[in-house]
Amino acid sequence: MISEFENKVKEHFEGKVVRKDLTKFVKGNAVVPTYVLEYLLGQHCASSDEEIVQEGIERVKSIISNHYVHRDESELVKSTIREKGKHKIIDRVTVTFNDRQDNYEAEFSNLGLKKVEVRSDIVKKHQKLLTGGVWCITDLSYLYTDNKNASPWVIDNLNPIQLSTLDFTEYVELRKEFSKDEWIRLLIQSMGLNPEELGPRQQMLQLIRLIPYCERNYNLIELGPKGTGKSHIYSEFSPHGILISGGDVTVAKLFVNNNTGNIGLVGYWDVVAFDEFAGRQKKPSKSLVDIMKNYMANKTFSRGKDVLGAEASMVFVGNTDRSVAHMLRHSDLFDALPTMYHDSAFLDRLHYYLPGWEIAKLRNEMFSTGYGFVVDYLAEALRHLKKEDFSTILKKELTFSNELTSRDRDGVTKTFSGLVKLIYPDGEVPKEDMIEFAKLSMEGRKRVKDQLVRIDDTFEPVKFYFTDSNDGKVQIETPENIRFKDKLLDYAKEHNGEEAEETEIKESQESVKSIKKDIPSTEEAEIKPGSQKLVVENQTGITYDDLFAPCLKDATKIEVIDPYIRLYYQIKNFMEFCDMLMRIKQEGEVIHLDLITSKDEDPEVANDQIEGFDQLKEMLLEHDIEFEYRFDEVHHDRSISTDTGWKIDLGRGLDIFQPYDFKNRFNIANLHQGARKCKQFSVTYLRVE
């Protein structure tokens, strides 16, 4: 059944949205970008009529089957063109200028054709063809000729796959029909992800990946583990972005060819992303790095005596090979970069460091099945927003720390402006969201600055904070600095001497206290009545032992109230709670454990629920835990109570962990709760007389 939200999306954006799961149905073995498929789906499946959608799917499948060129079928396609005289194909096309023949020549990637002459009017209309491969729908003819210097292949018509028009005013007005949460949900689904599998912070981090598409000259880096979709958003999301190998780029390709005068990628693309950017063994040329530094700082580059400008954002994505704790203890968060890029002058030009280690690894259930924008429609809207500058909103409302440099401020304001463009394209952002965006924006730039202090002694530590008329002074700290503050102190002692310890501890404590949502230490064994633990999204190192064991170790009667112990993973969480009880109870003592929850509405799920509880009951009895459960639809609060006087109010119940791949037998998160990312939640400890 289609939800109310999905109907709302279809109603307001009829013809501009598509079901994201349709892409999987039509893609098959075709190695073709998502925006190409959705371009076709948007033409043939943009309807609320299921019959029309199914007909459209078959039509798109037919187009892909008959016109998309597979490399291993290139000769068959050539034969088809020859026999028919003319045929429409979908292939990646690159055009070069042949100065000896004074003409333009196309190369078809999958078809394997080279030196196919292209009319000048086509190249003038679509200049991106000169800067790298562009996916096109092309009418190709075959006319044999005796002239050995002429190609028998003729391009009758060529159209890059991209949206030609956008009613931006309509886009902005329709945005007002959605709440902030609804709009973010729509954007996340448009990226092909399932928002229900992502917490609020995860969703915001995903959206930051889009900022280079709507903010001019935005420099973003994301380093983290494999499998989080770092490169996908830059290779398949938009026809205005290009993904290149970090080790396969030259000055001529990226900026300008001094021999021909041809402008490089930055002159034609909105986003130039470097894939596999990390790797200490890589050795980029010094001249390339020097020109990149100047471009990232000044938006200009030189061609002989001429100075040229461009607006392309630069994105660097790569994999880390060490844990965050290891890097903070022994090196820095840029540790994986090649030596030539592990340079303070280069890194200082970065506006934002996206913490890739916080991004969840992609699993099947994380892909969206709901409606989202046809990606080139959204890509065109974001491109239009590049003209806007919402950074002045932040400067008017908040006062920054005087310690921030101009580059720090630029990084913060550009990120803030990008977030506003994505979520409030009319520029009307509520004050509470302005504060949220400002915190997130400062965090990413602070992550860069903290590492610069480690890398280069000429950089001084900077306190990142802003002052607001209502909230006062708001200090910013990165989650990893708080989570691993002991590693930071160890690093400071080792590199700055023993005398640095007292200063570092004091500064760390002041920083932590100034943050409203502090992250508690998981090493504190004693829990005091009236205390509260607040855990932020994506935090790791949290276990049931840390949260509950000190209060439950002497209890003989325990009551758990949690209405959401229904699904398999929720029952698995409860089993792990029971495992904790088995480990902390005294040998030979009996614990009476009562669970009050609710029965699932789905009869099949409810049967599995009861079967799971019954099996657990039988198993626990062998370990002196008498387990009883009952269903009560009245209870909505979540708590744990004991006969020793403890009552623990649970903000989220036992469901505190973000989804993880528990089907993977070799995933350490299956065995160790501390390796799992958490949802945001709170736990309050009370003593009942």
Side-chain angles (χ1 to χ4, degrees):
M1 182 181 295
I2 298 179
S3 68
E4 182 178 345
F5 170 75
E6 304 292 346
N7 281 324
K8 183 176 181 180
V9 170
K10 289 197 302 176
E11 176 186 349
H12 289 87
F13 287 101
E14 184 71 32
K16 303 175 182 68
V17 293
V18 66
R19 257 177 44 204
K20 291 296 173 173
D21 57 331
L22 298 183
T23 305
K24 297 179 182 178
F25 295 151
V26 301
K27 190 165 189 176
N29 296 323
V31 185
V32 58
T34 299
Y35 69 81
V36 174
L37 294 176
E38 292 195 3
Y39 172 86
L40 299 172
L41 289 169
Q43 289 185 323
H44 300 282
C45 300
S47 172
S48 57
D49 189 318
E50 187 63 27
E51 184 176 343
I52 295 176
V53 169
Q54 292 302 319
E55 290 177 357
I57 291 175
E58 295 306 315
R59 173 63 178 155
V60 174
K61 283 183 177 180
S62 175
I63 292 173
I64 295 296
S65 174
N66 296 326
H67 301 287
Y68 172 77
V69 180
H70 293 267
R71 289 177 187 267
D72 56 355
E73 297 178 351
S74 60
E75 294 303 317
L76 177 61
V77 175
K78 292 177 187 177
S79 175
T80 300
I81 299 172
R82 179 186 182 278
E83 297 304 321
K84 293 175 59 177
K86 183 177 181 179
H87 185 58
K88 190 184 298 291
I89 66 169
I90 299 175
D91 199 355
R92 191 177 178 91
V93 181
T94 304
V95 174
T96 56
F97 175 64
N98 186 332
D99 53 357
R100 293 185 179 182
Q101 299 291 330
D102 189 30
N103 66 353
Y104 293 101
E105 296 175 342
E107 177 180 344
F108 290 81
S109 178
N110 290 352
L111 193 56
L113 293 179
K114 297 182 179 180
K115 298 185 177 181
V116 180
E117 187 171 347
V118 188
R119 299 196 312 271
S120 295
D121 63 303
I122 292 178
V123 178
K124 289 178 181 179
K125 186 177 180 181
H126 308 295
Q127 293 191 0
K128 277 187 181 179
L129 293 167
L130 295 166
T131 68
V134 178
W135 284 91
C136 301
I137 298 178
T138 307
D139 291 321
L140 198 61
S141 299
Y142 180 85
L143 296 174
Y144 179 75
T145 175
D146 291 329
N147 186 351
K148 295 182 179 180
N149 295 323
S151 171
W153 305 98
V154 179
I155 295 175
D156 296 318
N157 190 33
L158 182 149
N159 286 307
I161 294 177
Q162 58 188 40
L163 195 70
S164 57
T165 59
L166 167 76
D167 187 340
F168 183 71
T169 302
E170 178 190 56
Y171 175 83
V172 172
E173 289 302 312
L174 289 176
R175 157 64 184 96
K176 297 176 183 178
E177 300 296 324
F178 295 80
S179 68
K180 173 194 172 186
D181 290 342
E182 287 177 334
W183 188 252
I184 290 177
R185 178 179 176 181
L186 178 55
L187 290 177
I188 294 296
Q189 289 187 175
S190 299
M191 296 172 71
L193 299 173
N194 181 0
E196 294 182 1
E197 292 289 323
L198 304 173
R201 178 173 169 85
Q202 284 271 342
Q203 292 181 14
M204 294 302 292
L205 292 179
Q206 290 287 351
L207 292 183
I208 288 174
R209 288 174 164 177
L210 297 181
I211 292 179
Y213 287 109
C214 63
E215 194 71 24
R216 290 187 177 120
N217 301 102
Y218 187 75
N219 305 321
L220 172 72
I221 190 167
E222 179 181 352
L223 300 176
K226 299 177 181 179
T228 59
K230 291 188 291 293
S231 59
H232 168 81
I233 204 69
Y234 307 110
S235 64
E236 299 197 6
F237 177 77
S238 169
H240 304 308
I242 186 169
L243 180 73
I244 58 178
S245 171
D248 183 27
V249 65
T250 62
V251 173
K253 181 177 181 179
L254 190 58
F255 294 105
V256 65
N257 188 322
N258 284 332
N259 294 325
T260 65
N262 291 337
I263 303 301
L265 299 174
V266 296
Y268 296 97
W269 297 90
D270 291 351
V271 179
V272 179
F274 297 79
D275 195 15
E276 300 177 352
F277 188 67
R280 299 181 191 87
Q281 75 283 357
K282 297 179 180 178
K283 297 181 180 180
S285 69
K286 184 178 186 303
S287 60
L288 172 64
V289 178
D290 288 341
I291 295 178
M292 286 179 67
K293 289 179 187 178
N294 186 65
Y295 175 75
M296 291 167 67
N298 305 313
K299 313 175 188 63
T300 61
F301 53 95
S302 299
R303 184 187 72 180
K305 296 181 180 180
D306 297 329
V307 177
L308 305 175
E311 297 182 354
S313 296
M314 305 198 88
V315 178
F316 309 93
V317 295
N319 299 325
T320 53
D321 50 12
R322 299 289 185 184
S323 68
V324 175
H326 183 278
M327 290 187 286
L328 291 179
R329 171 63 181 86
H330 298 287
S331 56
D332 58 80
L333 296 179
F334 291 112
D335 182 62
L337 296 186
T339 303
M340 195 66 70
Y341 289 116
H342 197 268
D343 172 75
S344 58
F346 172 79
L347 299 174
D348 195 26
R349 273 101 168 139
L350 295 171
H351 297 122
Y352 203 92
Y353 188 145
L354 189 66
W357 51 87
E358 288 195 42
I359 305 295
K361 291 192 175 185
L362 297 178
R363 307 180 306 277
N364 287 336
E365 59 268 25
M366 292 184 66
F367 293 102
S368 174
T369 58
Y371 280 85
F373 289 123
V374 175
V375 288
D376 49 357
Y377 173 78
L378 178 58
E380 209 65 26
L382 298 184
R383 191 180 203 202
H384 190 283
L385 282 163
K386 288 169 70 73
K387 305 173 186 177
E388 305 292 339
D389 180 10
F390 293 147
S391 62
T392 54
I393 301 173
L394 187 63
K395 296 173 183 176
K396 289 179 181 178
E397 296 291 336
L398 304 177
T399 303
F400 290 121
S401 162
N402 291 328
E403 298 181 28
L404 298 185
T405 66
S406 59
R407 284 181 178 163
D408 294 332
R409 292 170 184 266
D410 285 345
V412 173
T413 54
K414 287 177 77 69
T415 303
F416 174 86
S417 177
L419 289 172
V420 175
K421 290 177 182 180
L422 289 167
I423 301 174
Y424 295 101
D426 61 354
E428 299 295 326
V429 52
K431 185 64 175 290
E432 61 269 21
D433 291 331
M434 185 186 305
I435 299 297
E436 177 192 349
F437 296 170
K439 290 179 179 179
L440 193 58
S441 300
M442 294 192 83
E443 176 199 313
R445 176 58 191 180
K446 186 180 191 301
R447 187 172 287 110
V448 173
K449 199 60 174 281
D450 286 349
Q451 310 318 305
L452 289 173
V453 173
R454 292 180 169 220
I455 293 169
D456 190 336
D457 292 338
T458 63
F459 283 86
E460 296 291 332
V462 175
K463 291 183 179 179
F464 277 68
Y465 67 84
F466 61 83
T467 304
D468 172 55
S469 57
N470 296 327
D471 295 343
K473 182 177 178 181
V474 179
Q475 181 109 3
I476 305 300
E477 188 55 276
T478 65
E480 67 271 8
N481 278 359
I482 302 176
R483 172 72 178 88
F484 300 112
K485 57 181 179 288
D486 57 327
K487 308 300 180 188
L488 300 180
L489 297 177
D490 289 342
Y491 179 91
K493 288 171 59 178
E494 182 175 314
H495 291 80
N496 301 328
E498 290 292 335
E499 67 276 5
E501 179 180 10
E502 183 176 349
T503 301
E504 293 289 336
I505 291 175
K506 183 178 179 181
E507 290 183 355
S508 176
Q509 290 174 338
E510 289 178 354
S511 177
V512 171
K513 287 180 181 178
S514 68
I515 300 172
K516 290 185 175 182
K517 291 184 178 180
D518 187 10
I519 301 178
S521 170
T522 58
E523 298 176 359
E524 297 175 2
E526 183 180 358
I527 295 177
K528 297 180 180 180
S531 64
Q532 186 179 55
K533 285 190 176 182
L534 301 173
V535 174
V536 298
E537 187 179 344
N538 289 340
Q539 185 176 341
T540 58
I542 301 298
T543 67
Y544 287 165
D545 288 77
D546 300 319
L547 295 174
F548 309 130
C551 302
L552 305 181
K553 61 182 179 180
D554 296 322
T556 58
K557 292 184 179 180
I558 300 172
E559 180 185 73
V560 177
I561 301 177
D562 187 340
Y564 294 101
I565 310 291
R566 305 176 180 177
L567 305 178
Y568 172 80
Y569 78 92
Q570 294 169 337
I571 298 176
K572 183 176 182 293
N573 287 340
F574 184 73
M575 182 185 72
E576 292 177 350
F577 177 83
C578 296
D579 174 65
M580 180 265 297
L581 292 179
M582 290 165 53
R583 286 184 281 101
I584 66 172
K585 68 183 290 292
Q586 295 184 22
E587 192 72 27
E589 295 295 323
V590 176
I591 292 180
H592 301 275
L593 174 62
D594 292 324
L595 170 65
I596 302 175
T597 187
S598 56
K599 184 184 293 186
D600 196 90
E601 296 177 355
D602 186 329
E604 186 174 345
V605 176
N607 288 337
D608 291 340
Q609 184 183 10
I610 294 171
E611 182 179 354
F613 286 152
D614 288 341
Q615 291 178 358
L616 191 59
K617 180 177 181 178
E618 183 177 350
M619 183 274 295
L620 289 174
L621 192 59
E622 299 177 8
H623 298 274
D624 294 325
I625 296 180
E626 297 180 350
F627 170 53
E628 298 291 343
Y629 66 92
R630 63 185 175 89
F631 298 122
D632 188 340
E633 303 301 328
V634 176
H635 286 286
H636 296 287
D637 295 335
R638 301 160 177 83
S639 66
I640 300 174
S641 302
T642 73
D643 60 347
T644 54
W646 282 104
K647 181 175 182 180
I648 306 171
D649 285 340
L650 308 174
R652 295 193 62 96
L654 297 178
D655 188 9
I656 64 172
F657 301 111
Q658 293 189 24
Y660 61 96
D661 188 5
F662 54 77
K663 296 179 181 179
N664 182 350
R665 294 179 298 166
F666 302 104
N667 185 355
I668 194 65
N670 282 319
L671 301 176
H672 182 41
Q673 291 181 335
R676 305 172 191 168
K677 291 184 176 71
C678 287
K679 301 175 182 177
Q680 182 170 311
F681 70 93
S682 64
V683 177
T684 304
Y685 302 92
L686 305 171
R687 291 286 290 189
V688 181
E689 297 297 334

